[in-house]
Amino acid sequence: MSLSLATSRRRFLTWTGGAAATAAIYGFSTAPAWAEPRFPQNPFTLGIASGDPTPDGIVLWTRLAPEPQAADGRGGMPPYQLQVNWQIAADPEFRTVVKAGSEVATPELAHSVHAEVVGLNPSSDYWFRFRVGSEESQVGHTRTAPAAGSDPGKVTFGLASCQSWAGGRYAAYRTMAQEDLDLVVHVGDYTYEGRNHESLADFRNNHAKYKSSPDLQAAHARFPFVVTFDDHEVENNWAAGMSQPDNEASNEPQRFLQLRANAFQAYYEHLPLRRPQRPTGPDMVLYRGLDYGNLARFHVLDTRQYRSDQLTENFPGGPQHPDVYDPSRTLMVDAQEQWLFQGLASSPARWNVIAQQTMMAQYDYDPSEVLSVNHDQWDGYVVSRNRLTNFIHQQNPANPVILSGDWHAAFVNDVLLDFADPASKIVTTEFVGTSISSGCGWAQSIKNALPNNPHTRYINPDKRGWTRCTVTPEEFRSDYLTVAAAADTTSPAVLDASFAVSNGRPGAQRA
Ligand SMILES: [Fe+2]
């Protein structure tokens, strides 16, 4: 978006506080004042984003980082606070600025900005930008959620997960950014931990590396994101306070909790999350709900932070451990489970979308009578899965649909009340999105096992991509889009398969 100098000067006058408001605020009594902060380059190197839409608001995100890979993790910023101004307009040229304000960007949070804007109109398109000193960010687009009690005819969103930097970046986001979506739901593995990543600077610079992708930035600049983490934002297969057995920090619980705190803080600093999601040390409340009128309620889960430890690390599967039925084990922890059940029971929505991390349906990797499963997924927490499927069976909330990621492979699954009986009732439908870029070295195992799993309607472990979900009062449709080559950013997305669930009838049908 290029503005002529004269008109952009004039428009700056509408920024909150005008020029005086750009004066530095002292974070430390000894810090020099940046009356007019000057940066070695435009500090908005990591882009901008919006997230967690409500009918009247949105959270706007950016982070000031003129040198995003500075070794100390401070992004080339001085050790004091700065005021960052923002604007929201009803048009991309900012002729009609409807809201403006400012946030203090602090060194403690890596000069990230999380501006929670209220007073907007429901189901409305907005454009936003930031300014610090004389530097201006790119322009982002966002959209608010429909009004409470309204009956939207359609909600369209993208499902994304697993965007390993090494896997190629990011044809999937480039194609996604060309669509007209109401939001993007990201169910984890937004970043992958590096070897020996442990300090806050390590995790910050890893996020900054991912955010250097113009295609990831473009998707964030185009749609509001609703995010939840899985394991790799912290460490492969971590569980609550437990590290992987092969990790150096695993024998030192306090050291792992410090690592987790660093990872959570960097995650918060780099994503459009609201204040209730700001971590306190190693703790972060990430499960939360979002409503899209009477059409869809999103129940966003955190199945990592509170889970019992994995019973085995066998990969991709191994004989089912008898303790998967131990009622003391948990994937969500009681408080989150009760919150979910309450949210389902009280939901005004036609569709209840449960956005979470790992695959929920059983998947048996062994063609013999032995049940061989992956214990990091819900298969390792059968007691938790049974509590949820029994709740749905007995309480009958409207149209639950499960969204998952983690496995770098696309699946469509009918979730059965009892997986031991193929004729058992279908209680809900699961759409597992493939990875944005992460590879699937176990694709052949998945393909070999398909005949053992008649409740699985579709798989594609070979391609990377994203899933477009279209929700109407009549159906929930998922279009599986794959890119020919994840490493080639110009690779187009093609439709591989479409499945739909009809209102009132769980189970996926090819559309
Ligand atoms: Fe992953």
Side-chain angles (χ1 to χ4, degrees):
M1 197 72 43
S2 68
L3 298 166
S4 79
L5 192 62
T7 57
S8 83
R9 279 248 169 78
R10 182 170 52 75
R11 279 172 203 151
F12 284 159
L13 296 176
T14 63
W15 291 89
T16 293
T22 62
I25 299 163
Y26 293 92
F28 295 87
S29 55
T30 53
W34 265 11
E36 187 67 29
R38 302 211 180 280
F39 303 95
Q41 63 163 318
N42 182 298
F44 298 100
T45 56
L46 307 180
I48 52 172
S50 69
D52 281 22
T54 61
D56 77 334
I58 199 85
V59 54
L60 307 179
W61 171 90
T62 193
R63 180 192 162 201
L64 308 177
E67 295 162 26
Q69 290 299 329
D72 61 4
R74 293 167 188 265
M77 290 294 290
Y80 46 87
Q81 302 176 353
L82 286 172
Q83 184 164 312
V84 179
N85 297 325
W86 54 264
Q87 286 181 324
I88 286 198
D91 63 285
E93 285 81 34
F94 289 79
R95 289 195 188 91
T96 311
V97 174
V98 295
K99 291 278 171 189
S102 64
E103 292 288 320
V104 176
T106 70
E108 290 78 12
L109 289 174
H111 293 92
S112 60
V113 175
H114 298 81
E116 295 189 44
V117 180
V118 293
L120 304 177
N121 293 323
S123 294
S124 297
D125 285 346
Y126 290 102
W127 287 262
F128 63 98
R129 62 184 176 183
F130 296 93
R131 189 181 187 221
V132 60
S134 57
E135 300 285 355
E136 194 178 342
S137 75
Q138 51 276 66
V139 171
H141 165 266
T142 193
R143 190 174 287 164
T144 50
S150 69
D151 296 297
K154 188 164 83 167
V155 171
T156 309
F157 66 93
L159 170 63
S161 66
C162 298
Q163 53 198 49
S164 157
W165 188 253
R169 53 217 174 253
Y170 281 118
Y173 278 126
R174 198 185 62 84
T175 59
M176 185 193 286
Q178 295 161 7
E179 303 256 339
D180 179 25
L181 306 172
D182 295 304
L183 70 159
V184 173
V185 177
H186 197 294
V187 293
D189 291 355
Y190 188 94
T191 53
Y192 281 70
E193 78 282 21
R195 224 175 156 65
N196 304 320
H197 275 184
E198 194 164 334
S199 71
L200 181 55
D202 292 337
F203 285 106
R204 280 176 173 169
N205 287 1
N206 199 40
H207 275 276
K209 181 173 80 177
Y210 278 67
K211 279 283 194 331
S212 72
S213 159
D215 298 307
L216 178 57
Q217 286 197 16
H220 276 296
R222 185 87 189 87
F223 317 113
F225 271 53
V226 173
V227 301
T228 184
F229 54 54
D230 191 21
D231 56 336
H232 285 287
E233 288 87 346
V234 179
E235 180 202 282
N236 183 42
N237 282 9
W238 67 283
M242 288 155 287
S243 179
Q244 278 266 86
D246 62 355
N247 187 286
E248 254 190 80
S250 66
N251 296 323
E252 300 172 55
Q254 285 311 314
R255 187 171 156 191
F256 178 67
L257 283 182
Q258 185 57 55
L259 182 158
R260 191 177 102 176
N262 294 338
F264 282 9
Q265 184 175 332
Y267 184 76
Y268 172 79
E269 288 170 349
H270 291 84
L271 286 159
L273 290 163
R274 292 179 180 273
R275 272 177 204 88
Q277 277 66 58
R278 181 175 166 177
T280 308
D283 302 313
M284 180 171 186
V285 179
L286 200 51
Y287 63 89
R288 61 205 190 280
L290 290 95
D291 282 326
Y292 274 65
N294 288 337
L295 186 57
R297 170 171 281 189
F298 292 88
H299 311 259
V300 181
L301 305 189
D302 170 0
T303 62
R304 280 286 158 194
Q305 195 177 172
Y306 316 103
R307 64 159 68 192
S308 308
D309 203 6
Q310 290 90 346
L311 289 164
T312 84
E313 302 278 335
N314 292 332
F315 192 90
Q320 187 189 56
H321 193 292
D323 288 354
V324 298
Y325 297 101
D326 174 354
S328 71
R329 286 174 52 76
T330 183
L331 191 61
M332 284 190 268
V333 87
D334 287 354
Q336 182 177 190
E337 200 170 90
Q338 288 311 311
W339 166 85
L340 174 61
F341 291 171
Q342 206 119 57
L344 289 168
S346 67
S347 174
R350 173 66 62 93
W351 297 93
N352 282 286
V353 185
I354 301 176
Q356 53 90 52
Q357 291 78 14
T358 65
M359 197 154 93
M360 186 177 288
Q362 178 176 295
Y363 203 73
D364 180 3
Y365 287 87
D366 191 334
S368 77
E369 287 303 296
V370 179
L371 183 56
S372 174
V373 296
N374 183 284
H375 287 78
D376 183 55
Q377 301 175 346
W378 287 73
D379 270 338
Y381 302 82
V382 173
V383 70
S384 292
R385 181 171 66 205
N386 285 348
R387 274 197 298 269
L388 177 56
T389 52
N390 284 323
F391 175 87
I392 294 171
H393 171 57
Q394 286 157 13
Q395 303 297 319
N396 211 21
N399 294 309
V401 171
I402 314 296
L403 304 180
S404 316
D406 170 62
W407 210 220
H408 308 180
F411 288 73
V412 175
N413 299 316
D414 291 341
V415 179
L416 306 182
L417 188 58
D418 176 10
F419 282 101
D421 172 13
S424 173
K425 178 185 171 181
I426 300 168
V427 287
T428 177
T429 314
E430 177 178 35
F431 295 108
V432 185
T434 189
S435 55
I436 291 282
S437 61
S438 308
C440 186
W442 51 100
Q444 198 55 49
S445 301
I446 293 172
K447 287 188 254 190
N448 293 345
L450 183 61
N452 313 341
N453 297 281
H455 55 274
T456 294
R457 303 286 173 201
Y458 161 78
I459 58 167
N460 186 348
D462 293 324
K463 294 285 187 182
R464 318 282 68 89
W466 63 283
T467 310
R468 181 179 52 224
C469 301
T470 307
V471 191
T472 66
E474 294 74 39
E475 70 169 19
F476 186 113
R477 177 188 172 113
S478 293
D479 298 320
Y480 284 82
L481 299 157
T482 61
V483 293
D488 174 7
T489 56
T490 64
S491 187
V494 296
L495 183 64
D496 190 62
S498 296
F499 281 82
V501 186
S502 297
N503 173 38
R505 199 145 42 92
Q509 308 297 326
R510 206 174 262 274

